[in-house]
Amino acid sequence: LAKTTQPISMDSYEGQEVNITCSHNNIATNDYITWYQQFPSQGPRFIIQGYKTKVTNEVASLFIPADRKSSTLSLPRVSLSDTAVYYCLVGEGYGQNFVFGPGTRLSVLP
Amino acid sequence: AAGVIQSPRHLIKEKRETATLKCYPIPRHDTVYWYQQGPGQDPQFLISFYEKMQSDKGSIPDRFSAQQFSDYHSELNMSSLELGDSALYFCASSLVTRGGAGTTEAFFGQGTRLTVV
């Protein structure tokens, strides 16, 4: 499984756009990039998944450059409720065991 | 929509006792995962099952065992409990798309908080 590196923490203010970048230099051809969000004492929650270029859903966008060695999760106009830990996971589209590395603790300030 | 159900939500045990955690995956999901998350730590993968067969094993202690039953629910059995086993235990399920590209979003339960005293 590809190792991922993310910033340990980030601060933002309400209404701002937040971009969290994840490095995965040894990503394999069959690997997908998946982001999860976790609130304290709750199970992680799927945010978005992508393979290349750009993916957008109702809560976030995922930008993946051509070399796929990194990815950026973009959260538009964050609110206080977006304060959570965000995890970047890299693995195959099936059979992966969702290895969680150190996530990014996002704090949204009023 | 049905979610992953874990029971019990809270469990207090004494050292050296045993504990059994249960997980009911989302209907028609074929893969179940177990994770352990200590205070202030990231979720650590323990074990997974695909179609009732163990498919992968992570950092699961020998004192722990797990299985998935014919109705797809899974149980994590923990024996000779230690203080360090106190943690949140999450179960997740997914529908794995094999043979090519596919998304395997995992849905997590609310977890079981185990406290060993």
Side-chain angles (χ1 to χ4, degrees):
Chain A
L1 291 170
K3 182 182 176 182
T4 60
T5 304
Q6 305 174 227
I8 296 296
S9 64
M10 294 180 69
D11 289 339
S12 182
Y13 291 95
E14 280 192 291
Q16 289 188 331
E17 177 185 74
V18 171
N19 296 309
I20 306 174
T21 297
C22 178
S23 297
H24 27 81
N25 291 318
N26 58 340
I27 188 170
T29 302
N30 295 332
D31 286 346
Y32 281 74
I33 300 155
T34 311
W35 285 81
Y36 281 81
Q37 174 193 57
Q38 186 179 29
F39 298 113
S41 299
Q42 293 187 25
R45 184 174 71 101
F46 174 89
I47 300 175
I48 197 166
Q49 184 181 77
Y51 184 80
K52 62 179 179 180
T53 63
K54 177 183 175 182
V55 180
T56 297
N57 62 21
E58 62 275 10
V59 298
S61 295
L62 179 60
F63 299 92
I64 306 168
D67 65 5
R68 303 201 328 122
K69 294 184 182 300
S70 67
S71 59
T72 299
L73 174 71
S74 181
L75 305 173
R77 298 180 299 280
V78 294
S79 64
L80 297 177
S81 62
D82 292 317
T83 294
V85 179
Y86 292 81
Y87 293 97
C88 164
L89 283 72
V90 174
E92 291 187 13
Y94 64 87
Q96 65 182 92
N97 54 27
F98 297 101
V99 175
F100 288 81
T104 298
R105 187 174 300 277
L106 173 66
S107 298
V108 180
L109 309 173
Chain B
V4 176
I5 298 173
Q6 293 186 245
S7 68
R9 292 293 308 277
H10 302 273
L11 190 59
I12 300 175
K13 291 286 186 177
E14 295 188 355
K15 284 193 302 184
R16 293 179 290 278
E17 284 193 318
T18 61
T20 297
L21 278 53
K22 297 185 178 182
C23 170
Y24 297 85
I26 292 173
R28 291 182 295 280
H29 277 193
D30 54 16
T31 305
V32 167
Y33 313 81
W34 284 97
Y35 289 83
Q36 177 192 60
Q37 187 170 29
Q41 298 182 1
D42 306 308
Q44 296 296 312
F45 170 70
L46 294 179
I47 195 168
S48 62
F49 293 86
Y50 172 70
E51 284 293 346
K52 294 165 282 185
M53 298 288 290
Q54 182 182 310
S55 60
D56 211 344
K57 207 171 184 180
S59 51
I60 183 169
D62 292 339
R63 300 177 289 108
F64 294 7
S65 65
Q67 56 183 323
Q68 187 176 24
F69 296 86
S70 58
D71 64 352
Y72 287 87
H73 94 273
S74 179
E75 294 183 2
L76 178 65
N77 298 293
M78 311 158 71
S79 62
S80 303
L81 287 170
E82 302 173 356
L83 296 178
D85 295 328
S86 296
L88 263 172
Y89 290 83
F90 291 107
C91 171
S93 74
S94 69
L95 179 63
V96 172
T97 303
R98 293 189 179 267
T103 60
T104 55
E105 173 184 351
F107 294 82
F108 283 77
Q110 289 289 72
T112 293
R113 182 175 296 281
L114 172 66
T115 303
V116 182
V117 297

